Amino acid sequence: MTVPPPPWRSAPRRRAAKPTLSQASIVRAALIVLDDEGIDAVTMRRIAQELETGPASLYAHVSNKDELAELMLDAVLADILVPEPDPAQWDEQVKELVRDQIQAMAAHRGIARIAWDIAVPVTPNSLKQGEGMLALLRAGGLSLRQATFAGDALSLYAKAYAYEASGWTWGEIDQAEAGERGRQMVAYMRSLPPAAFPNLLQAGEFFSAETAKERLEFALEAFLAGLKAIAKS
């Protein structure tokens, strides 16, 4: 006969069923590894470990690491709202979209670097961002040629700014090393003849973490002022 277990013994726990493997679940796992361990840790083998499966099973949904990187960028871009163009405030909409793009890329470790590595991303959300930016610029009176050049410049600036911001946010820039380099630069600049570099020797005070946002806003304001002038010409 079957003897029941004594009451002080707990029943064996059933192992939770693995979530169904999909492209979306692979991308989510990749973003977790990216934020926790950095971009160099994002390999098909490491993602497979995160999902408790074998690397071969991932290739049924993602062809290679390059495609995975592009899908990760696309997932991050999905959170950015693209506004309906308003000719009355198109310039503010453009600035807000650039700010949101920077924030989204800087919020995930290494995403800005991925954005740099992909010359022309053509995933659904990257296309949505690109079309949205062009629509905003066209709403300001720019021709398609002008809007294309302006959108390209704004995209480059957003990626560059996010890349630098990510380095500080995620500790990829050694703050102690950067601080020591900064002190050496100050000492070196002060050793130069003031008459030869009168502006550079005074400009250093404007480069700091405290002025980062101000510098971003200045660049956006100056760029948009130029675009508005072009649109009116």
Side-chain angles (χ1 to χ4, degrees), residues 143-156:
S143 68
L144 180 57
R145 178 186 177 87
Q146 292 167 338
T148 299
F149 291 169
D152 179 59
L154 287 166
S155 175
L156 288 171

Side-chain angles (χ1 to χ4, degrees), residues 102 105-113 116 159-176 178:
I102 291 172
M105 287 187 285
H108 291 276
R109 186 177 183 180
I111 284 294
R113 176 175 157 187
W116 265 120
K159 288 187 289 187
Y161 191 95
Y163 199 170
E164 182 179 48
S166 297
W168 292 105
T169 301
W170 295 95
E172 294 169 352
I173 295 176
D174 188 312
Q175 295 195 23

